[in-house]
Amino acid sequence: MRIRDNTCEVGRGGLHCRLRLLVTTAAALMAISSVAIGQSEEGVRAAFLFNFAKFTEWPASAFADDRAAVVVGFIGADALAVSFERNVAGKNVNGRDFVVKRLDAPGAAENCHIVFVGDPASTLATLGVLKGKPVLLVGEGEGFVTAGGMIGFIKDGARVSFDLDLQAAGASRLRVDSKVRQIARRVRGG
Amino acid sequence: MKVNRKYDMDKMPSFSGAVSVCGGQVMPFWFCRAVLAAAAVLLFSSLNALAIEDSGLFDLSLEELSKVEVKSDIASIRAKPIREQPGIVSVITAAQIREIGARDLSDVLMLVPGFALDTDVQSMVGLTFRGLQGQEGKVLLIVDGIEVNESLYGSLPILNHIPAEAIQQVEIIRGPGSAMYGGTAGLSVVRVTTKAAGRTGGYAVFTPSYVDGDFTWNYGFGLTFAEGDWRLALNSSYSDGFISNRKYTSLEGTTLDMTDLSGMYVSFIDLGIGYRALDIRLVLDLYRYRDAIYFGEPTEVASRTSFDSFLASVKYGWKLNNWLEVTPQFTYREQDPWNAESEELGNWYVHARRYQFEVNSIAELSHRSSVMLGARYQRDSADEERPESYEGHGDDTITSDDIAGYAQYDLDTKWVSVSAGVRYEDHDAVGGDFVPRIALTKAWDAFHIKALYSEAFRTPGLYVAKDAIGGVIDAEHTVNYELEGGYRFSDAVSWVANLFYMKVDQPILYDSGGSGDADDGYYNGTTRLSAYGLETELRLNLRQVSTLIGYSLYTADDNDIDYVRGDAGRFLAAPAHKIVFSGTWRIARPLSWNLNGFWLSKRLAYVYPGDAAYELDTELIINSFLEYRINRYSFGLGVANLLDEDRWAAQPYAGGSGPVPLKGREIFVRLSREF
């Protein structure tokens, strides 16, 4: 960039000139590296759900055909459901679109491929209804996994992490990719 | 019974008067230049910052996603990542607390740069922060939205207080928070969120400990439950411990073996009930211990000291539409602070009450800006029953009214984020006080920087105002400048550091009467205290190993008040240098080992023969915690103060007490089960 200010012509290195050069250079460098990070917790969790769909393998019988959508159900997690639905629009995994369902009762979760249990009161009932069925069960906290869930989100410092129970996933004929395993804070049954 | 006795001291120096903004007495020249330079960088830092909306998260890899920071709202209106908070903020989560084997909140705070333990009277152990005593109304503790500091003096007993197993998260503003949190937040704000009804289940914890021939016991139980729109969370614990198994030496040279004379009996019950946006909180906090040190001198028979609290709050988060939320909150507190029962000295009871009503409203003006407006009214009262031996024996009732209005505006631009706040508080004992704050923050991919200016004030507690010499006292006023920078060297290594300069005008001090004709009581120091320093942390987070190393330093600047002066660069009781460290090795899937601790440089304190402040030895406290987890069970083996070092909590003012010794090596087992 050519500096047109007369006081900053080449060879005239006064204080004013040097300050301007310093500020301009700093601004340019900062512009290059500027990436503001400021996501909501729901946003991060929703993106994790998207990735879980991407890196989980369901048995062929879980889908009607090769193009059938991945059905994601939410029990009592409105904010997360909104974030997921809004951001997943137009996206697909392995050629499958997404269908988002808000579920009133665990019984309605049987036709889903992923169920997020945001209502603690429904945890045990949901786990009972879906036991052995090829549904990826995601919930909140370590307690969700110890209760029989497959993935439990936890807040690890300033970041969102999760515990993973491969044994529970395997019992439901789900194969979770090693990429997910590598990121999990704790892996059970691996 | 917290009435300091006479203690000889020199006269206070006179107020120097002249004030200049930069390079003068308000702040040192180098600090002023640094602030201006940072402000310039922030203002010019351009330009094409790309704010990633949540949709951008869906394009991140799993590994990238796992490194995205989530947010806190302890210093901001809307939740923001810690590195973008308009304050110097630390956050410690339940997982980290469990990993280090902490037993209570003091174990957690001792791993945070800037904090150290001190003592007041009656063996009460509190906190210093950045060199200054924080126990008397300057470090605000909030548990589940309710202020815990007692209302007579603002005291905060911290040893063995707030059980670790009940804590979901600790958020700390390492710096003043008065503009948001009022007149008890002059130095720092510690906000504890207990485990809530996020899931159905609970925990049970049993922690027996062994110290030098004595066993102590700690029990904890929690239950969370939700059904439809209802939520319920219960956290409870009982701890049977003691302050010390070491010998106390008074300034007169009398010694006291504290082993059987400092038992602590702490009960904590926190019940939360929620229905939709309604939140009801009931906290019973019974903090009791035996004490055989009467204003520095050992007594033949231990007295019983208690800080009992019953705290209740009802609030309703009323979301009027998708951009405006109004939250009215009513808080009621009953406290019996500093109560003492002594066969030797008589009983002293005081019963304090607080009614507080607050309305807080948050408006999301756009996705980049929000505004918060609030108002608060509180009435404090205390009924006292003094012992016959006490001068002015009899019953006494005092009240105090306080009304406050506050506002904050947060704006995120592509150049810089700005947070500006003000608070006006009118207290019927000290009149009105106005405090502004402004924060400029900017975070890039790897680097972040903050420039903060804030003012704070300390509202005197009921008894501070009551005992004011001549019946007149003003609020203490603090001005603070802070700079923070942080850099992520890689995904696993990050570093953050901050500089601070703080100046306390009209510090509220207790005059022991030795310097003149004044009666005992509180008054505003006719000079100032100021300090500058830095805090820094280096973190390494790998899959199997995570480590933290932190360092904090303060240097007293204006330090002419003999009552709190250690030497030219140090205040009494507070170490100028502190190093904290914590390392966790996840040895195998169910097994992890944490080694943590801190090192304190030599502190100045009055010790026998009491003619001057002497240096206490350095302290290196190392704690070890080994944990084995299987299914819902956890078995932990811990050793606190592994090296059996002498630990001291010294008095941060020349109040006639020698340093109170704390416990030596302690072996404990933690057995817990989740259900």
Side-chain angles (χ1 to χ4, degrees):
Chain A
M1 176 167 51
R2 179 177 170 80
I3 301 169
R4 299 183 66 86
D5 189 320
N6 287 337
T7 60
C8 289
E9 291 290 349
V10 174
R12 298 185 63 180
L15 177 65
H16 179 68
C17 176
R18 277 180 287 178
L19 274 175
R20 283 193 60 171
L21 276 170
L22 182 67
V23 168
T24 310
T25 308
L29 288 172
M30 289 164 187
I32 291 166
S33 60
S34 290
V35 179
I37 299 175
Q39 289 75 22
S40 70
E41 200 165 331
E42 284 78 18
V44 176
R45 284 162 204 248
F48 266 121
L49 283 178
F50 175 72
N51 274 278
F52 295 155
K54 201 164 28 174
F55 295 111
T56 299
E57 195 177 303
W58 279 265
S61 59
F63 295 95
D65 56 54
D66 291 345
R67 308 298 295 175
V70 178
V71 182
V72 183
F74 291 86
I75 302 177
D78 287 346
L80 180 59
V82 167
S83 176
F84 185 82
E85 190 167 25
R86 189 177 63 217
N87 290 301
V88 86
K91 288 186 164 55
N92 68 70
V93 289
N94 305 321
R96 300 183 189 278
D97 294 331
F98 283 92
V99 171
V100 175
K101 288 187 174 179
R102 289 176 178 76
L103 308 172
D104 295 328
E110 289 190 53
N111 297 322
C112 296
H113 299 97
I114 299 175
V115 169
F116 181 86
V117 186
D119 175 10
S122 302
T123 298
L124 295 178
T126 308
L127 294 176
V129 167
L130 298 178
K131 190 172 184 181
K133 294 191 167 60
V135 180
L136 186 70
L137 286 161
V138 187
E140 290 287 353
E142 296 167 64
F144 183 78
V145 173
T146 55
M150 296 163 196
I151 294 175
F153 282 125
I154 52 164
K155 197 172 166 185
D156 188 6
R159 298 170 182 178
V160 172
S161 187
F162 57 88
D163 286 359
L164 169 66
D165 191 335
L166 283 175
Q167 200 171 356
S172 293
R173 293 170 289 143
L174 302 178
R175 189 178 173 282
V176 180
D177 194 279
S178 61
K179 287 190 175 71
V180 180
R181 280 182 258 173
Q182 285 163 10
I183 297 301
R185 192 192 64 149
R186 287 177 189 271
V187 181
R188 297 166 185 239
Chain B
M1 194 158 55
K2 180 184 180 283
V3 181
N4 297 15
R5 71 173 195 177
K6 291 181 186 297
Y7 190 73
D8 290 343
M9 55 181 289
D10 295 331
K11 288 184 178 178
M12 301 296 165
S14 61
F15 180 54
S16 53
V19 173
S20 63
V21 173
C22 203
Q25 293 169 15
V26 171
M27 58 180 173
F29 187 61
W30 65 269
F31 201 92
C32 182
R33 278 174 50 160
V35 170
L36 289 173
V41 168
L42 285 165
L43 288 171
F44 285 99
S45 68
S46 29
L47 283 166
N48 299 317
L50 172 63
I52 299 177
E53 300 298 333
D54 285 350
S55 58
L57 292 167
F58 281 62
D59 298 323
L60 299 180
S61 70
L62 264 175
E63 191 179 0
E64 289 167 332
L65 202 52
S66 69
K67 288 163 190 153
V68 173
E69 284 187 355
V70 294
K71 305 171 179 181
S72 164
D73 63 355
I74 188 167
S76 58
I77 300 173
R78 291 189 291 194
K80 289 185 166 188
I82 295 161
R83 58 206 291 267
E84 293 178 35
Q85 278 289 308
I88 311 296
V89 170
S90 297
V91 175
I92 303 104
T93 63
Q96 293 166 323
I97 290 169
R98 193 187 61 212
E99 204 165 66
I100 63 173
R103 275 88 42 84
D104 59 66
L105 182 60
S106 71
D107 284 348
V108 177
L109 294 180
M110 284 308 291
L111 295 183
V112 177
F115 285 101
L117 299 179
D118 67 5
T119 188
D120 193 354
V121 293
Q122 294 174 245
S123 309
M124 195 277 273
V125 176
L127 292 165
T128 68
F129 183 66
R130 291 180 175 172
L132 291 172
Q133 64 162 313
Q135 56 179 274
E136 208 171 301
K138 296 185 191 178
V139 173
L140 174 63
L141 174 64
I142 300 170
V143 175
D144 290 333
I146 308 176
E147 294 183 9
V148 173
N149 301 58
E150 54 90 6
S151 49
L152 301 187
Y153 304 93
S155 303
L156 176 62
I158 200 71
L159 200 66
N160 208 15
H161 208 176
I162 314 297
E165 58 268 18
I167 299 174
Q168 180 64 36
Q169 182 165 277
V170 181
E171 297 158 281
I172 302 164
I173 299 179
R174 287 167 24 221
S178 282
M180 281 187 94
Y181 295 96
T184 316
L187 290 180
S188 178
V189 179
V190 179
R191 188 169 77 177
V192 171
T193 305
T194 61
K195 289 176 179 168
R199 60 187 170 89
T200 298
Y203 62 87
V205 183
F206 173 51
T207 311
S209 302
Y210 174 83
V211 185
D212 196 20
D214 285 307
F215 286 93
T216 59
W217 315 94
N218 184 312
Y219 313 86
F221 174 78
L223 181 68
T224 60
F225 179 75
E227 177 71 44
D229 292 329
W230 288 92
R231 308 178 302 279
L232 182 144
L234 171 71
N235 292 287
S236 62
S237 77
Y238 174 74
S239 171
D240 157 15
F242 52 88
I243 297 171
S244 181
N245 59 327
R246 300 290 171 94
K247 280 187 179 167
Y248 168 80
T249 303
S250 77
L251 301 191
E252 309 293 331
T254 315
T255 59
L256 171 79
D257 185 347
M258 295 179 68
T259 306
D260 297 320
L261 297 171
S262 63
M264 302 191 84
Y265 317 93
V266 182
S267 305
F268 180 83
I269 300 172
D270 181 318
L271 176 66
I273 302 166
Y275 177 74
R276 294 187 178 172
L278 178 70
D279 187 82
I280 300 169
R281 181 74 49 179
L282 304 170
V283 178
L284 184 65
D285 179 23
L286 306 179
Y287 189 87
R288 300 171 179 180
Y289 59 91
R290 299 179 75 205
D291 165 53
I293 305 172
Y294 181 69
F295 297 102
E297 276 305 303
T299 57
E300 290 182 5
V301 182
S303 62
R304 290 175 292 279
T305 297
S306 62
F307 287 79
D308 291 350
S309 294
F310 170 71
L311 317 169
S313 147
V314 180
K315 69 176 176 181
Y316 185 80
W318 187 16
K319 208 164 178 57
L320 278 78
N321 50 48
N322 62 0
W323 60 273
L324 179 62
E325 182 168 6
V326 178
T327 305
Q329 178 174 10
F330 175 72
T331 304
Y332 175 71
R333 308 193 321 180
E334 292 219 20
Q335 294 182 307
D336 296 337
W338 293 105
N339 278 218
E341 292 181 353
S342 168
E343 294 171 15
E344 201 173 329
L345 304 161
N347 301 334
W348 191 81
Y349 301 112
V350 62
H351 188 72
R353 291 186 191 84
R354 171 178 290 177
Y355 303 90
Q356 180 179 294
F357 185 70
E358 182 167 2
V359 179
N360 176 288
S361 58
I362 292 174
E364 305 271 356
L365 303 179
S366 71
H367 70 287
R368 291 180 182 277
S369 66
S370 52
V371 66
M372 177 174 70
L373 294 169
R376 191 189 73 183
Y377 166 77
Q378 74 184 31
R379 162 162 284 205
D380 282 303
S381 65
D383 304 315
E384 178 187 324
E385 185 185 324
R386 297 172 181 171
E388 290 181 13
S389 58
Y390 189 86
E391 186 184 352
H393 162 69
D395 296 342
D396 198 5
T397 300
I398 52 174
T399 60
S400 171
D401 291 311
D402 184 282
I403 187 162
Y406 56 90
Q408 182 165 320
Y409 176 66
D410 288 1
L411 172 67
D412 296 327
T413 71
K414 58 185 177 182
W415 301 286
V416 67
S417 293
V418 181
S419 177
V422 291
R423 186 184 193 93
Y424 180 78
E425 192 153 329
D426 188 55
H427 186 281
D428 61 3
V430 297
D433 213 302
F434 175 81
V435 287
R437 80 188 262 260
I438 186 160
L440 304 177
T441 62
K442 178 67 183 174
W444 293 271
D445 202 14
F447 178 65
H448 80 266
I449 188 167
K450 303 177 182 179
L452 316 167
Y453 169 82
S454 55
E455 295 184 19
F457 61 98
R458 177 192 163 197
T459 306
L462 277 171
Y463 273 34
V464 174
K466 180 176 84 78
D467 294 338
I469 294 172
V472 177
I473 198 161
D474 292 323
E476 176 181 301
H477 202 90
T478 301
V479 177
N480 230 70
Y481 301 87
E482 294 167 293
L483 272 179
E484 181 184 279
Y487 192 78
R488 290 173 172 167
F489 295 95
S490 72
D491 292 338
V493 183
S494 63
W495 167 77
V496 65
N498 65 278
L499 302 170
F500 68 87
Y501 172 81
M502 64 176 170
K503 173 176 69 74
V504 183
D505 265 328
Q506 294 187 300
I508 294 176
L509 300 164
Y510 183 80
D511 187 350
S512 57
S515 60
D517 298 325
D519 293 324
D520 290 4
Y522 287 87
Y523 74 108
N524 285 111
T526 53
T527 183
R528 63 164 68 93
L529 300 170
S530 65
Y532 57 88
L534 67 90
E535 290 141 9
T536 183
E537 286 183 326
L538 180 67
R539 288 175 185 271
L540 169 69
N541 281 305
L542 299 173
R543 189 172 172 80
Q544 277 199 295
V545 176
S546 59
T547 61
L548 155 74
I549 297 174
Y551 168 72
S552 55
L553 155 75
Y554 82 86
T555 300
D557 191 16
D558 289 308
N559 183 17
D560 299 326
I561 302 174
D562 288 353
Y563 202 54
V564 297
R565 177 189 164 93
D567 60 14
R570 285 177 292 180
F571 300 112
L572 284 174
H577 306 271
K578 179 185 176 188
I579 296 172
V580 301
F581 56 91
S582 175
T584 301
W585 179 23
R586 297 173 192 97
I587 301 164
R589 186 161 50 85
L591 187 65
S592 65
W593 178 48
N594 176 275
L595 200 66
N596 69 75
F598 54 88
W599 175 86
L600 307 179
S601 63
K602 289 183 175 178
R603 289 167 290 168
L604 286 157
Y606 279 83
V607 297
Y608 174 72
D611 55 340
Y614 293 90
E615 281 192 326
L616 301 176
D617 281 344
T618 58
E619 281 182 18
L620 174 61
I621 305 301
I622 298 176
N623 310 307
S624 166
F625 188 67
L626 186 70
E627 185 184 31
Y628 183 84
R629 307 188 73 202
I630 182 165
N631 297 325
R632 299 177 185 185
Y633 296 90
S634 165
F635 305 91
L637 174 64
V639 185
N641 193 359
L642 186 68
L643 304 178
D644 203 24
E645 283 267 295
D646 287 333
R647 291 186 68 189
W648 302 102
Q651 208 169 25
Y653 56 92
S657 179
V660 171
L662 303 176
K663 278 186 284 193
R665 183 187 298 120
E666 181 173 13
I667 300 166
F668 63 95
V669 174
R670 190 176 70 191
L671 309 171
S672 69
R673 182 181 190 276
E674 292 178 339
F675 54 88

